Amino acid sequence: MKKEIASLIELDRQRTLLAHIDALLGWDQETYLPKSAVDERAEQIALIQGLVHEKAVEPRVGQLLSALEKHPDLEPLEKAYLRVIRREYDKETKLPPDFVMELARQTSLAQAAWADARRTNDFALFAPHLEKVIELNKRLANYINPHGRPYDVLLDLYEEGSTEAGIAAIFAQMKADTLKILSKIQSRPQVDDSFLHRPVSADRQARISLYLMDAVGFEKDKGRLDTVAHPFTTTLGKSDIRITTRYIEDFLASSMFSTIHESGHALYEMGIDPDPEYSGTRLAEPVSMAIHESQSRLWENMIGRSKAFWERHYAKIQEMAGTLDDVDLDSFVLAINKVEPSLIRTEADEVTYGLHIILRFELESSIMADKLAVKDIPEAWNAKTKELFGLDVPNNSSGCLQDIHWSMGSFGYFPSYALGNLYAAQFWHQMHKDIPDLEAQLTAGKTSVPLAWLRKNVHCHGSFYKPDELVKKATGEGLSPRYFAEYLDNKYAAVYGY
Ligand code: ZN
């Protein structure tokens, strides 16, 4: 290894250590922090994020980059590493340190305000914070690229190379496919899932969650499970991946599938290993939010809602839940795949899920183009819900206050969720080609087989390939919405018998 690369890695590792300390503060805020400590925590987070930023923009990083980029013979790993560091360095050096700390402080406060507003169903509590966060996001976009359209600049932060026009075109196809499949489903009798709403205590649900983590291959000596209002996964170190879930007493499926979902995120993080020499660097980080989401959705829906998976595990869940003794496997599998337009994104079935993302994408686009003011968001949200789902929103907690992302300052993040579904279906399609007896393996409880495929084709690479390169390498072509549409149509033709 060239000695300049070694120096760059040393600086990068210090940045990663600080970033993980920041993640620990954030994890603690969402799980255990006493309410009165919120303001103090915002200061702590602002200070640490300021230090992370300082590390990322050290002049030495710029000097090393410039020297190395002129080097005549760079190894592929070195080239990829320089590309990743360059992208990050160019972005971070455009941001004034005061701005970075201000963004950290305001979003930490906004998250606490959002949680209160959601709990008490009071949009007015959150509105002033949201105003600030939006203003800061517009400034962020302007710092990074004053000539770009703000929403394009923000989208690119989450999915390198993506633009509003590009995503809009993919979403138009996804929407047409979804509505076609939905109308076929709605022409058939609805499946019965009433038994999933029989009360199951949080204790029992917690035991089920721990069981499911084992079932998908979550290494418990490298992570843990806790409960929160809005489930997420966070990485505190190479061997410390925290997942979270929530227990709704009269909806067992919610915690089961959010636990499998977050485990899918964790499995990705646990499997990143582009090269031991780059451990603890940004090359050993996930390549994009959409690829991340493809992993959680693949485990949650393609594996976790398949009959093959439950052949192996259903009897155990029946025993642990204590409420499903009179429900046979087929009825259970139908119930966990019930499709019905609904208000809450995180509880949505996989057919209508994309419509929730289109709703947020269209609103974010208007907000960033100054066409939608904060005070008008609830009304715009409700109108779009009516248009896309045919549903009335009874209160803002079930509407525009349901998601944490805007309070975190994450404008441009939502499209990753839908793109994740599309990537997942494309990986799933290829996985079936490469492993013809995949279903039989799952029936035998061998989730290690799909995990090994994902490790080899997706996880291990970290950020070595860009997202579009990664999908091409794994499946032979660029991202195509057609695999997701085919997957849904095949699956739901069987579930609903159309
Ligand atoms: Zn996710």
Side-chain angles (χ1 to χ4, degrees), residues 141-283:
N142 189 56
Y143 284 130
I144 294 173
N145 180 2
H147 311 295
R149 298 175 63 249
Y151 198 35
D152 281 342
V153 177
L154 297 175
L155 287 165
D156 181 76
L157 293 180
Y158 298 99
E159 193 67 6
E160 187 174 357
S162 67
T163 62
E164 185 178 344
I167 291 176
I170 291 172
F171 282 5
Q173 184 62 50
M174 184 180 79
K175 185 176 171 183
D177 294 336
T178 300
L179 294 177
K180 210 154 67 187
I181 293 165
L182 190 58
S183 83
K184 290 193 228 177
I185 289 171
Q186 287 177 330
S187 73
R188 302 289 303 152
Q190 186 53 287
V191 304
D192 174 23
D193 72 339
S194 54
F195 45 82
L196 293 177
H197 296 278
R198 295 172 184 165
V200 178
S201 70
D203 278 356
R204 278 177 185 255
Q205 293 197 37
R207 281 198 290 278
I208 290 172
S209 282
L210 292 169
Y211 174 86
L212 290 171
M213 287 161 73
D214 286 335
V216 299
F218 185 105
E219 297 162 75
K220 290 212 184 95
D221 57 343
K222 292 186 182 169
R224 53 176 288 132
L225 172 74
D226 292 271
T227 54
V228 286
H230 201 294
F232 64 92
T233 295
T234 188
T235 297
L236 310 185
K238 188 174 159 31
S239 300
D240 188 358
I241 321 293
R242 309 282 173 102
I243 68 166
T244 56
T245 195
R246 64 178 160 206
Y247 305 116
I248 302 171
E249 204 175 80
D250 62 358
F251 195 28
L252 172 63
S254 173
S255 67
M256 287 200 315
F257 290 101
S258 90
T259 298
I260 299 179
H261 178 100
E262 301 305 334
S263 295
H265 281 303
L267 291 172
Y268 180 23
E269 296 273 350
M270 287 170 177
I272 296 178
D273 187 17
D275 187 282
E277 288 192 314
Y278 289 85
S279 161
T281 72
R282 264 166 293 185
L283 199 65

Side-chain angles (χ1 to χ4, degrees), residues 231 233 261-262 265 292-293 296-297 300 345 353 413 417:
T233 295
H261 178 100
E262 301 305 334
H265 281 303
H292 225 307
E293 194 65 11
S296 56
R297 302 292 285 177
E300 176 192 354
R345 176 186 64 83
Y353 187 90
Y413 186 124
Y417 288 128

